[in-house]
Amino acid sequence: MTTLADLAELVRAPAALSVPGDVVAGAAAAGALSPRTPALAGASVLLYWAGMAANDWSDRRLDAVERPERPIPSGRVTPNAALGLAAGLTAAGVGLAAAVGGRRAAALAVPLAASIWGYDLLAKNTAAGPAVMAACRGLDVLLGASGGRLARALPSAATVAAHTWTVTALSRREVSGADAALPMRTLAGTAVVAASAAVAVPRRAGIAAALPAVLAGWYAARYGAAQVQVVRDPSAGKVRAAVGAGITGLPALQGALAARGGAGLLGLAVAAAAPLGRRLARKVSPT
């Protein structure tokens, strides 16, 4: 019998802590923070969980060989149940976004959902995989910006997308391990991402001006250190640890972007999800 714990493992529930910050960062950049922002963040989480369930459904035969402990190959969740859950969460996520954000939010939620399914079913094991996943995260940031000046959120969307490319590129070597060149490339990408998030906003001083750099530095130190370990030892275990650090460390980057958009306290709240995510990842793997 399938339990809630099995479903939580299927959708990698703790990893969803890395999702609301996308919407917050986008809303802050676009000047669109409002009472509807939490609901859009909820829609984003539903779509993320849908993608995780669809991912395991798509990988069920491969997981039977490489990860037999996962919910589907272990028999704790049936393939039909996983597919049905993915479809239901997708419909709920798009519906919630449209209900609270109207046509502008729906115009981003629909391609976001399509990109998620496109990655899981078509692109994941191709050269286009990291780019498609990066597009998913970029669209997620823009979903948060849908009620404001969308163009102003494009730099934040590009920053989160670039981070996502690094994590996705590493994740493709979670089982086989990597060569040293891959983590060197992703580490260089992380440095660029952190630098772009740390850029101070003119006409701000004191803590408000320094906060983006502080949070971006926290992100870079945590995720960068894990990638350095992969450079030294590119084994599968080190790669998985780096991918986990990239997922659980994302809120610090999102917090930096929110602070850069003028929402310093909210940025700190978003960044606080990073240590919480690391604790929960010890119980349910985010990868």
Side-chain angles (χ1 to χ4, degrees):
M1 180 178 177
T2 300
T3 66
L4 286 177
D6 296 329
L7 295 178
E9 184 179 349
L10 177 74
V11 301
R12 298 160 178 82
L17 287 171
S18 73
V19 178
D22 286 345
V23 170
V24 172
L33 285 168
S34 71
R36 75 178 191 159
T37 302
L40 288 175
S44 177
V45 168
L46 292 172
L47 290 171
Y48 183 88
W49 280 340
M52 292 297 100
N55 176 79
D56 270 26
W57 179 83
S58 177
D59 280 355
R60 62 194 184 280
R61 293 183 179 88
L62 180 62
D63 283 347
V65 176
E66 295 182 346
R67 297 184 178 186
E69 74 281 0
R70 291 293 302 161
I72 295 177
S74 67
R76 290 176 288 132
V77 176
T78 67
N80 286 342
L83 183 60
L85 180 63
L89 288 169
T90 300
V94 172
L96 179 58
V100 300
R103 292 182 179 178
R104 293 191 70 186
L108 288 159
V110 170
L112 171 56
S115 297
I116 290 169
W117 280 86
Y119 173 81
D120 285 334
L121 301 182
L122 300 172
K124 178 169 51 181
N125 296 317
T126 72
V132 174
M133 181 56 73
C136 291
R137 281 289 192 169
L139 286 168
D140 203 29
V141 174
L142 295 179
L143 177 62
S146 59
R149 301 176 184 177
L150 205 63
R152 291 176 57 182
L154 290 175
S156 292
T159 298
V160 173
H163 162 80
T164 303
W165 182 91
T166 69
V167 176
T168 308
L170 285 169
S171 72
R172 292 154 70 92
R173 298 293 181 266
E174 285 185 301
V175 174
S176 63
D179 57 68
L182 175 60
M184 288 291 287
R185 290 195 298 270
T186 61
L187 187 58
T190 298
V192 173
V193 165
S196 68
V199 174
V201 177
R203 298 183 299 279
R204 289 191 189 141
I207 295 177
L211 188 56
V214 170
L215 294 178
W218 180 18
Y219 152 80
R222 174 70 183 178
Y223 184 31
Q227 291 173 86
V228 168
Q229 291 299 314
V230 181
V231 174
R232 294 172 176 169
D233 174 13
S235 63
K238 295 294 185 182
V239 173
R240 282 195 295 274
V243 172
I247 294 171
T248 60
L250 178 55
L253 175 64
Q254 295 161 334
L257 294 171
R260 194 178 69 182
L265 289 178
L266 194 53
L268 283 172
V270 168
L276 177 59
R278 288 196 294 272
R279 291 191 187 96
L280 292 176
R282 298 182 188 125
K283 297 184 178 181
V284 179
S285 173
T287 70

